[in-house]
Amino acid sequence: MENTEERNINININESDILKVFAVSGAILQSVLGMFLKYAHTNDNLALLGVIFNIVKYTAPVFIFAIVYGMVKNNQHTKVSHFYKEKFGELVIPYLLWAAAGLIFFPEIQVNQHVTSFRTLIESFVLGNASSQFWYTVMMLQFQLLMPVLIFICYKYLAKPKRVIPLLIVSFVIFGAWLWMYDTFVFQGAYAISLRYLDRFFVSYFIYALLGGIAWVYKKQFDGVLRRIQFILIPVMLLILIWTNHEFFGFGFEDMSFGNLIYLKPSMTLYSLVVIFLIYMLARHLISVNSRSLPYYKWLSTYAYRAFTANVFMLVIVLRLFGDLITQLPFFVALLLVYLTTVACSFGVVYAFARIKVKVCREWLLLKQKKSAQHQSKIST
């Protein structure tokens, strides 16, 4: 037992790390599925892409839950300025660099409004239009900015357990009203263009953030609730998948668009919550039995965000390298091959950059120390 606890301490892993791995894996797959629409020439291929996309359409909520779970766990006494400084280097810099690389080398992967001036360049960074995956980043960074508010709610306001249930009830009512508003007025509604960026506004995902904070602060109670409902989660997930697929394929196969598969609707909200609970329970189990897979999950989680920011850039390169081979292979084989290659390249590239950064910083520090020693030597002589 002591060895198990010691190994867990050395690995320093928690449920949020494993949640992030599932989130980034699904997000990269979403990017690949979106690119493969142009290779799907039959309804069977389109149906395959649509079903898989529905299955992995949990990524943004899982990311938010995991981010806030880890944030609340690790930053109760962290100075806000120190937190922001750390996250700027950890999150903002990779985003800006990969977004700039995309705009320079592959401007065709821009979404919504393309860059035509300095103003639209700034808008592209702020709104995440440089590539299809960057709206995730813009949305996630808002919860990092809200760190003081989230810490206050979780540790101060919810210090009294009797406030948890009323807060959850009010929050779900507000969130339900927000979903109704989006479905009625924005999604294919009168404000579909003017309010299209609400899908990356933090309010559209705050319920997952709140649950992430509560899951840590009241971990024992949260785990207990999940244990009581664990046997119904998979059947419920499958039923909701049938629901989401029915909604999606109701738009037909002609000009099929994943833009019709949105997070901001009741079916996808319920699906995301059930998937969060399932992955959380898997993570808790793996940690409790000290699974041999934990070091791999930890490594992947360390580079998950950076691999995510790089994935579409790497995907474009992978597709160009494979070229006509994609159309020559069976459709599913090509899809799987491109996905696995993109995952490997995304993680490989950001890992290589991380090692180079460490080496450069080490050499810079040694050079600085050497110069300092020489300076001290001259003074002493």
Side-chain angles (χ1 to χ4, degrees):
M1 185 67 178
E2 290 180 358
N3 290 336
T4 297
E5 292 177 354
E6 182 179 350
R7 285 179 61 191
N8 279 338
I9 292 172
N10 291 337
I11 296 172
N12 190 28
I13 192 170
N14 62 71
E15 291 84 356
S16 69
D17 294 310
I18 297 173
L19 282 156
K20 288 176 185 176
V21 173
F22 275 87
V24 73
S25 301
I28 295 176
L29 183 51
Q30 286 183 24
S31 299
V32 175
L33 293 169
M35 291 287 193
F36 259 70
L37 277 175
K38 64 183 178 182
Y39 299 107
H41 302 303
T42 67
N43 286 351
D44 287 342
N45 290 342
L46 289 170
L48 175 66
L49 294 181
V51 170
I52 297 175
F53 205 98
N54 269 288
I55 292 173
V56 297
K57 188 69 175 181
Y58 58 74
T59 51
V62 171
F63 261 130
I64 295 305
F65 181 95
I67 286 170
V68 177
Y69 182 93
M71 180 194 302
V72 172
K73 176 182 182 295
N74 298 319
N75 294 284
Q76 181 181 3
H77 303 295
T78 303
K79 290 184 178 180
V80 175
S81 59
H82 177 75
F83 177 83
Y84 286 159
K85 181 180 179 181
E86 178 183 302
K87 294 305 175 183
F88 184 82
E90 181 182 327
L91 304 177
V92 178
I93 295 299
Y95 164 58
L96 294 177
L97 291 176
W98 283 110
L103 289 172
I104 294 171
F105 295 103
F106 305 125
E108 69 274 12
I109 64 176
Q110 297 174 80
V111 293
N112 297 320
Q113 185 176 0
H114 286 206
V115 172
T116 56
S117 64
F118 181 74
R119 180 183 65 80
T120 53
L121 174 65
I122 299 302
E123 286 182 359
S124 179
F125 285 114
V126 172
L127 299 173
N129 288 337
S131 183
S132 58
Q133 86 277 27
F134 285 135
W135 76 268
Y136 275 70
T137 305
V138 169
M139 177 264 296
M140 290 187 286
L141 288 174
Q142 294 174 70
F143 287 97
Q144 304 288 352
L145 289 173
L146 290 170
M147 174 269 205
V149 177
L150 293 168
I151 294 295
F152 173 81
I153 291 173
C154 292
Y155 284 110
K156 298 296 183 181
Y157 181 77
L158 294 180
K160 296 180 179 180
K162 65 180 181 180
R163 292 177 174 173
V164 175
I165 299 302
L167 179 61
L168 282 173
I169 292 173
V170 171
S171 297
F172 271 103
V173 169
I174 293 173
F175 192 70
W178 184 265
L179 294 181
W180 174 84
M181 181 277 296
Y182 188 90
D183 183 59
T184 304
F185 298 106
V186 182
F187 179 59
Q188 297 187 341
Y191 300 95
I193 300 298
S194 58
L195 295 180
R196 65 185 174 188
Y197 294 118
L198 283 183
D199 66 348
R200 63 206 66 184
F201 186 41
F202 78 92
V203 175
S204 298
Y205 304 90
F206 81 89
I207 199 70
Y208 310 109
L210 179 61
L211 286 171
I214 291 174
W216 171 252
V217 175
Y218 289 98
K219 182 173 173 57
K220 182 178 179 180
Q221 295 87 336
F222 185 78
D223 290 356
V225 170
L226 292 187
R227 276 194 297 270
R228 287 193 287 272
I229 66 173
Q230 60 184 334
F231 297 108
I232 69 168
L233 289 177
I234 291 180
V236 169
M237 182 192 74
L238 294 175
L239 288 173
I240 299 174
L241 265 178
I242 294 173
W243 181 11
T244 59
N245 277 285
H246 176 74
E247 289 179 331
F248 179 62
F249 290 114
F251 291 97
F253 288 102
E254 187 176 353
D255 298 324
M256 193 173 86
S257 170
F258 292 141
N260 293 325
L261 184 56
I262 61 173
Y263 286 107
L264 302 180
K265 58 181 180 179
S267 59
M268 196 50 66
T269 298
L270 293 175
Y271 178 71
S272 299
L273 290 172
V274 172
V275 172
I276 286 171
F277 298 155
L278 284 170
I279 299 175
Y280 177 90
M281 290 176 64
L282 172 64
R284 189 188 63 194
H285 172 72
L286 293 175
I287 293 172
S288 67
V289 301
N290 196 35
S291 170
R292 293 182 180 276
S293 64
L294 293 182
Y296 302 103
Y297 276 110
K298 185 61 182 180
W299 186 88
L300 289 169
S301 71
T302 300
Y303 299 98
Y305 172 78
R306 283 169 281 184
F308 167 72
T309 57
N311 87 89
V312 173
F313 187 92
M314 300 310 303
L315 173 58
V316 173
I317 295 176
V318 169
L319 289 173
R320 293 187 179 183
L321 289 175
F322 280 122
D324 294 335
L325 180 62
I326 295 174
T327 57
Q328 297 169 8
L329 292 171
F331 186 75
F332 181 75
V333 173
L335 176 65
L336 183 61
L337 180 62
V338 170
Y339 171 64
L340 294 177
T341 306
T342 302
V343 170
C345 290
S346 298
F347 276 93
V349 165
V350 298
Y351 174 72
F353 284 160
R355 299 310 302 167
I356 292 171
K357 178 185 175 183
V358 169
K359 187 173 182 179
V360 169
C361 290
R362 185 185 297 122
E363 292 297 326
W364 173 256
L365 182 61
L366 290 173
L367 180 62
K368 191 175 180 180
Q369 290 174 345
K370 184 178 180 180
K371 287 184 177 180
S372 178
Q374 291 175 345
H375 181 69
Q376 291 295 329
S377 177
K378 288 180 180 180
I379 293 176
S380 61
T381 56

